């Protein structure tokens, strides 16, 4: 969490940084600030609020200069206020930070900082420690500081007497850097770099990058120079704008047919699923005795769909574990457990740590990641990239459906590798998978109808969502989406579980969204719907086109989903749920792309 930017070169540093902070704002948006180092010494401008507020704060101020660092914050230590906004300055050192310094209290004591700090942040303590060790050699000060720190960090540091230079170091939290046509830039992620160049590198952990207008040098912690390993970003700048939509979330929902197509098609060869580009040997898919999916939030919900598919079609046991709980439940993974880590950002620290643990236990691992070169992709044995392109809205949409697309491909490849399916079954499955982009287009063409349906829950305080099996898995995601962007309390329940307590909350007019897409569960699901209706619930039903509903089923709102084979129905149904959440949020006038308290990349535990 938190967005970091640093620029040194011939350009206007303040302008470059403010523009970049806007692109990085999805990483955290409770305060923002910049520090400029130049002829007039160090100038720091920062304020609680959005980057837009910082821009206002900069108006009429001296913002000239060619070297600076900037930050957009997601508060961890210390509340949201001007003093706690980054950059933090102590003595001759000014720095920005993404991560958590766990031993900041011990360091405060050890270096007698009590009474000298102006903020409540762990970051200011780190600035003070760097200043303590600084005797004119930035590398030595950084090295000695880093050896004292416990926790995660990505720092960009300015020293008063090192004009035009930015120093960066990291542990876990990401930093990427690049040479621009007129200088050098660093950032928390490539989103802020691609407007300048597609060529960038990931700063290795516990290494120091020194940026100057002449370029970038890389050193290990003992001061030895190292070669930079360059990579190419495959996101073009055009993909990063809103493309005429009022919010990124709508744009990203609308991009799903293309995103799913680009995720699926390169992995189909001669009609069969193919992971040879990723170098995944069939043995990894054929020999594992069980699968453990680790992920958080939306990515974890994608894993639940994967579990249903794989258990039903391959017949092996799949656990889906919240990555944040993985380490605390004495995980049992071994060489026979295939670990699948799912993450849009590839930086979620809980998923990353769980994956590292599983690898240390000897588990083969595949990660499903959207952001190229991200930490989870690098730690994993094999990586399958979802080709969703940049996902900027905090609420994940196209990343989710592309994660599902990869899970379908993996299921099919696993079945083929194990010799479980006939050619005909495999062909039928792949044909249906290839239909998904068109079916999603069909759903998106009905977005105005979905907008009207969303009106039914616009003023609701609580919304319940019910379904069974695969329908339940996608409702967990639909409910999360509604909560996070509309602030309406919502719960997804396996329909059969309602009677065991929650049905007590269903009263006259309680809105209930029910999804019924699985033939084998239909009659049970419809009975459960009748149960809530007879307690007064107002039901919005998502059901396949052409499914008969009995007279008197009394459903005031029905949305007909385009027909697919049952295992694929989660795709169109998920898009409807995303659009419902989106329209409720935008009709409430909320900041859809940046819901309160959230951040897109969760790099703190
Ligand atoms: C919700 C959402 C989050 C993320 C979760 C994991 O819309 O986006 O729940 O899915 O924070 O993030 P990644 O996928 O980056 O690991």
């Amino acid at each position: 969490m938190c967005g970091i930017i640093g620029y040194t070169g011939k350009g206007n540093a303040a302008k470059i940084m403010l523009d970049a902070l806007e692109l990085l704002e999805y990483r955290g948006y409770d305060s923002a600030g910049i520090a400029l180092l130049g002829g007039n010494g160090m100038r720091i401008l920062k304020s609680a609020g959005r980057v837009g507020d910082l821009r206002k704060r900069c108006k009429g101020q001296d913002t000239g200069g060619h070297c600076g660092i900037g930050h957009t914050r997601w508060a961890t230590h210390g509340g949201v206020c001007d003093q706690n906004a980054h950059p933090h300055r102590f003595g001759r050192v000014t720095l920005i930070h993404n991560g958590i310094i766990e031993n900041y209290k011990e360091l405060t004591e050890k270096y007698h900082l009590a009474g000298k700090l102006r903020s409540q942040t762990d970051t200011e303590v780190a600035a003070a420690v760097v200043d303590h060790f600084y005797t004119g050699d930035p590398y030595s000060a950084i090295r000695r500081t880093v050896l004292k720190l416990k926790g995660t960090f990505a720092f960009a540091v300015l020293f008063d007497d090192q004009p035009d230079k930015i120093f960066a170091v990291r542990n876990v939290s990401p930093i990427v850097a690049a040479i621009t046509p007129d200088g050098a830039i660093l950032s928390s992620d490539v989103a802020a770099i691609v407007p300048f160049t597609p060529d960038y590198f990931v700063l290795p952990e516990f290494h120091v990058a020194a940026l100057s207008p002449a370029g970038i040098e890389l050193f290990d912690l003992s001061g030895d120079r190292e070669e930079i390993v360059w990579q190419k970003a495959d996101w073009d700048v055009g993909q990063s704008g809103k493309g005429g939509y009022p919010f990124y979330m709508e744009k990203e929902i609308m991009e799903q047919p293309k995103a799913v197509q680009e995720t699926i098609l390169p992995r189909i060869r001669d009609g069969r699923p193919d992971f040879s580009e990723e170098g995944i040997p069939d043995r990894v898919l054929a020999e594992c005795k069980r699968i453990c999916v680790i992920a958080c939030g939306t990515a974890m919900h994608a894993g639940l769909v994967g579990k249903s598919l794989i258990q039903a079609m391959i017949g092996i046991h799949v656990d889906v574990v919240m990555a944040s709980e993985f380490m605390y439940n004495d995980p049992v993974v071994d060489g026979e457990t295939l670990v699948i880590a799912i993450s849009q950002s590839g930086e979620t620290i809980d998923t990353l740590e769980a994956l590292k643990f599983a690898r240390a236990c000897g588990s083969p691992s595949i990660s499903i990641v959207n952001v190229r070169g991200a930490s989870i992709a690098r730690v994993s044995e094999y990586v399958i990239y979802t080709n969703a392109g940049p996902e900027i809205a905090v609420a994940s949409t196209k990343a989710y459906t592309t994660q599902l697309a990869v899970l379908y491909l993996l299921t099919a490849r696993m079945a083929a590798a194990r010799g479980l399916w006939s050619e005909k079954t495999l062909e039928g499955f792949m044909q249906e998978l290839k239909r998904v982009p068109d079916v999603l287009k069909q759903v998106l063409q009905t977005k105005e109808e979905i907008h009207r349906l969303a009106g039914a829950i616009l003023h609701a305080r609580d919304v319940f969502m019910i379904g069974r099996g695969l329908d339940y898995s996608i409702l967990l995601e639909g409910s999360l989406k509604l909560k996070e962007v509309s602030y309406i309390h919502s719960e997804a329940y396996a329909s059969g579980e309602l009677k065991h307590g929650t049905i007590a909350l269903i009263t006259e007019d309680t809105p209930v969204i029910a999804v019924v897409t699985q033939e084998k569960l239909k009659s049970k699901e419809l009975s459960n719907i009748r149960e809530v209706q007879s307690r007064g619930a107002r039901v919005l039903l998502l059901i396949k086109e052409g499914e008969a509903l009995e007279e008197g089923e009394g459903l005031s709102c029905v949305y007909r989903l385009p027909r697919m084979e049952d295992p694929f129905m989660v795709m169109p149904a998920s898009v409807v749920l995303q659009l419902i959440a989106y329209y409720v949020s935008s009709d409430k006038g909320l900041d859809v792309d940046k819901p309160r308290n959230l951040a897109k990349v969760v790099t703190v535990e």
Side-chain angles (χ1 to χ4, degrees), residues 284-351:
V284 170
L285 304 176
E287 288 171 10
C288 59
K289 297 268 187 309
R290 58 182 274 259
I291 292 179
C292 177
V293 178
I294 43 178
C296 295
T298 294
M300 197 256 305
H301 293 153
L304 291 172
V305 173
K307 172 186 164 97
S308 297
L309 292 175
I310 295 171
Q311 285 195 171
M313 296 182 173
I314 313 292
I316 61 170
H317 180 79
V318 183
D319 288 309
V320 179
V321 188
M322 273 177 227
S324 56
E325 286 292 297
F326 183 80
M327 303 297 282
Y328 311 112
N329 279 315
D330 306 308
V332 183
V333 285
D334 55 22
E336 296 188 325
T337 312
L338 171 62
V339 166
I340 303 181
I342 309 179
S343 173
Q344 186 285 131
S345 62
E347 300 295 347
T348 300
I349 192 159
D350 289 315
T351 311

Side-chain angles (χ1 to χ4, degrees), residues 296-299 342-346 348 351 394-396 403 477 480-481 484 600 602:
C296 295
T298 294
I342 309 179
S343 173
Q344 186 285 131
S345 62
T348 300
T351 311
V394 165
S396 188
Q403 287 158 357
E477 172 56 13
L480 171 64
K481 218 82 309 173
E484 72 178 317
K600 182 79 182 159
V602 183

